Amino acid sequence: METKFEIEKLNLYYGTFQALKEIDMSIYGNKITALIGPSGCGKSTFLRTLNRMNDLIQGVKIEGMIKFDREDIYGKDYDIIELRKKVGMVFQKPNPFPKTIYENIVYGPKIHGEKDKSTLDHIVEQTLKEVALWEEVKDRLHKPALGLSGGQQQRLCIARCLAVEPEVILMDEPTSALDPVATSKIEGLLEELAEKYTIVIVTHNMQQAGRVSDYTSFFLNGKVIETDKTEVIFSNPANKKTEDYITGRFG
Amino acid sequence: MAARPQMDHEMSIITNDLLEMTGLVEEAIRLAIKSLTEKDSELARNIINNDEEIDDLEDSIKDKCLKFLATQQPLAGDLRYMISIMQMVRDLERIGDHCEDIAKYTLRFENEEYMKQLIDIPRMAEMAAKMVKNAIDAFVNRDLRLARKVWKADEEVDELFRNIYDELMGMVDQDASRANQSVMFLFIAAHLERIADYATNICEETVFTMEGNYEME
């Protein structure tokens, strides 16, 4: 099994507050890894360290090492633009640009220098098909993306993320603002996407983590308490704290 | 305070039902043997009629478990607890069926003198009944030591069963006219041996619920 990310002794501070403590973890390629834990446990912060989104926040200090394809992404000469292209992100609330569906998808490829119309058309069709949205929107590609339903918008955001050909997709509670039907569409999609991409997903929904992921990590107070195969975490976790959290007896 | 009061409340209702079912089954074992040793046909008929109550309780517990799984979506230890209960009520129901079968033998012997006084069969029944009760107690009280102890006690029941077998076969060897009763008593002993086996299943479920595996030794 290919290791996509190797995280060693990762510490992260917001000013004097330490949000991540001595995190050691491996994230495997073409697998879905779920990060679970109570609010404020550091899972979203951790997710954002994987494509250096935390760099944008003032007062953040990071120690330790994160290797992506065996290269230290916090190393001096590492190309952050390239990193963010390879490691895309999807957020909790669908956040399409206030542009057309078509323009949302081609935005990334254009920024990365793609100008050829037929190539862009191909990317739009390809990515919308990948997120199972093509049939629903092919006749209104040039209509505003904000006219889509919440679930469609979120799939569009995933398609926008795929348009720059990433290797990893980070998802921060991607279905928490969606209804069960839209949620189940995204969940079904994840399994297919995992054939091509590595997925790391933060979720507060235990059943979702159980349904979609191959591996699950339980975070608590900035530490990783336990990482294991998902089926083990949800049927017989090794750590009492994990058990208390997933059975809802936490605190 | 419990973080999931509704869930804990529903679990305790199901646990109480399980204890009630265990009480009925335990009593059925003792009464089945009482009906046999005392040749009490009326008691035997009661046992046969009352088995329905055990069956109904099994259905009702399973139904509650199903609804619990659907609405509370338990995980880890809670999930294993519910899965175990669903297995155990099946085992308890089967024990009830064995008691019913024993009671049917009482009726078959209704107009016949026994060829011998029954000593080992009541002893075996007492052991099996205790095993069932202790197995469920171990589960409800999450007592791993007791579960493993009860599981081990099955060896004694098996040994007693072998003794009964040898004794009955010896009697048939001496006098072939005893074959009919000997076979009947052997069947009854075999029912009791099965009951003890179900008790060991219950012990295995306790270990599974608490430790997530079936390692008994």
Side-chain angles (χ1 to χ4, degrees):
Chain A
M1 204 157 38
E2 178 205 6
T3 303
K4 206 72 190 160
F5 285 101
E6 193 68 57
I7 297 104
E8 281 170 34
K9 293 198 183 324
L10 178 70
N11 288 301
L12 182 145
Y13 303 83
Y14 291 119
T16 55
F17 174 72
Q18 187 171 3
L20 296 177
K21 298 168 189 165
E22 297 287 304
I23 309 267
D24 288 317
M25 203 198 292
S26 299
I27 292 170
Y28 301 109
N30 296 93
K31 296 284 173 203
I32 302 177
T33 302
L35 311 179
I36 61 168
S39 297
C41 68
K43 56 193 186 306
S44 291
T45 297
F46 173 74
L47 192 74
R48 290 196 302 262
T49 61
L50 300 178
N51 68 347
R52 292 189 57 171
M53 290 284 279
N54 288 317
D55 291 15
L56 308 172
I57 300 168
Q58 265 204 336
V60 166
K61 191 177 94 189
I62 293 169
E63 298 165 354
M65 182 137 66
I66 297 184
K67 284 183 183 166
F68 172 57
D69 285 339
R70 293 188 207 85
E71 263 190 276
D72 182 4
I73 62 171
Y74 286 92
K76 259 188 186 166
D77 302 324
Y78 200 88
D79 182 349
I80 302 180
I81 305 294
E82 195 57 23
L83 174 71
R84 298 210 181 115
K85 183 168 177 271
K86 285 184 183 163
V87 185
M89 195 153 189
V90 175
F91 298 86
Q92 181 174 0
K93 281 194 187 148
N95 56 354
F97 302 133
K99 294 168 178 283
T100 67
I101 294 168
Y102 185 94
E103 283 165 347
N104 263 275
I105 307 267
V106 300
Y107 190 85
K110 273 185 173 172
I111 281 186
H112 289 289
E114 186 56 64
K115 287 183 189 123
D116 181 60
K117 171 87 168 62
S118 68
T119 305
L120 291 172
D121 285 352
H122 177 75
I123 291 172
V124 169
E125 182 173 343
Q126 188 64 31
T127 56
L128 286 173
K129 278 182 174 164
E130 272 193 272
V131 299
L133 194 59
W134 175 251
E135 287 303 320
E136 292 165 55
V137 302
K138 64 181 179 192
D139 299 325
R140 47 170 168 153
L141 292 175
H142 299 286
K143 295 269 161 57
L146 291 168
L148 297 173
S149 73
Q152 289 173 326
Q153 286 186 19
Q154 193 63 310
R155 277 182 284 152
L156 176 66
C157 291
I158 296 173
R160 185 178 64 190
C161 174
L162 301 182
V164 294
E165 298 180 317
E167 293 172 23
V168 180
I169 309 168
L170 308 177
M171 296 184 162
D172 198 349
E173 296 185 56
T175 64
S176 62
L178 305 181
D179 72 17
V181 176
T183 296
S184 122
K185 279 190 184 160
I186 302 262
E187 286 181 4
L189 189 59
L190 289 182
E191 205 181 320
E192 282 172 36
L193 292 177
E195 285 172 17
K196 263 175 86 177
Y197 311 94
T198 300
I199 296 170
V200 186
I201 178 172
V202 166
T203 178
H204 276 295
N205 181 331
M206 295 302 114
Q207 272 70 29
Q208 177 169 72
R211 281 192 300 265
V212 305
S213 68
D214 301 298
Y215 289 87
T216 296
S217 273
F218 172 55
F219 280 68
L220 185 65
N221 298 329
K223 290 181 186 161
V224 172
I225 302 298
E226 187 173 353
T227 301
D228 210 324
K229 284 190 173 162
T230 296
E231 67 215 41
V232 175
I233 292 281
F234 288 101
S235 66
N236 195 12
N239 194 292
K240 173 87 169 61
K241 287 176 186 164
T242 314
E243 168 105 18
D244 286 348
Y245 180 69
I246 64 168
T247 58
R249 288 186 169 71
F250 184 78
Chain B
M1 211 174 93
R4 294 185 69 174
Q6 181 61 27
M7 177 164 173
D8 290 341
H9 175 66
E10 286 179 28
M11 279 174 86
S12 75
I13 289 175
I14 294 172
T15 304
N16 284 336
D17 285 357
L18 176 73
L19 288 170
E20 187 191 338
M21 188 176 177
T22 308
L24 291 179
V25 167
E26 192 195 344
E27 193 180 50
I29 302 169
R30 293 210 164 93
L31 294 181
I33 294 305
K34 189 168 188 269
S35 80
L36 182 79
T37 49
E38 296 178 8
K39 297 179 73 57
D40 186 338
S41 302
E42 200 189 322
L43 182 57
R45 275 186 269 277
N46 280 342
I47 292 161
I48 294 164
N49 291 333
N50 290 346
D51 187 52
E52 212 170 294
E53 201 182 336
I54 293 173
D55 294 353
D56 289 347
L57 209 42
E58 184 207 6
D59 291 345
S60 132
I61 293 172
K62 274 192 186 159
D63 188 51
K64 281 179 190 164
C65 288
L66 182 69
K67 284 180 181 140
F68 182 87
L69 293 177
T71 56
Q72 297 293 334
Q73 294 154 12
L75 289 169
D78 296 330
L79 177 61
R80 298 199 304 274
Y81 189 80
M82 276 304 136
I83 297 290
S84 289
I85 286 186
M86 292 176 87
Q87 291 283 350
M88 288 189 294
V89 293
R90 230 179 109 186
D91 290 338
L92 289 172
E93 189 273 330
R94 294 303 303 273
I95 294 174
D97 289 347
H98 284 294
C99 296
E100 191 185 350
D101 285 342
I102 293 172
K104 283 176 183 165
Y105 285 115
T106 301
L107 297 179
R108 280 202 188 193
F109 287 138
E110 211 169 9
N111 303 313
E112 230 180 284
E113 283 300 311
Y114 292 152
M115 63 185 192
K116 68 180 283 290
Q117 198 192 347
L118 298 180
I119 298 166
D120 282 342
I121 284 182
R123 199 166 9 129
M124 202 175 160
E126 187 52 37
M127 283 164 80
K130 246 189 208 152
M131 277 177 73
V132 172
K133 182 188 185 302
N134 287 340
I136 293 290
D137 281 350
F139 176 74
V140 170
N141 300 323
R142 297 173 180 267
D143 186 341
L144 271 179
R145 262 187 60 187
L146 181 60
R148 291 197 164 104
K149 200 176 138 196
V150 176
W151 187 83
K152 200 92 179 128
D154 187 47
E155 286 172 10
E156 294 167 41
V157 176
D158 288 348
E159 201 186 324
L160 201 49
F161 179 57
R162 278 191 294 272
N163 292 345
I164 291 172
Y165 176 88
D166 290 343
E167 190 196 352
L168 291 172
M169 287 302 112
M171 291 178 86
V172 175
D173 278 347
Q174 285 171 16
D175 180 354
S177 71
R178 289 163 162 173
N180 192 30
Q181 278 202 14
S182 291
V183 169
M184 293 298 175
F185 287 139
L186 197 55
F187 279 159
I188 290 165
H191 280 302
L192 294 169
E193 193 269 334
R194 287 302 300 151
I195 289 174
D197 283 347
Y198 284 120
T200 65
N201 285 356
I202 292 169
C203 297
E204 286 164 12
E205 290 302 329
T206 302
V207 172
F208 171 70
T209 287
M210 292 181 64
E211 302 200 318
N213 59 51
Y214 289 99
E215 284 162 25
M216 298 308 293
E217 284 176 296

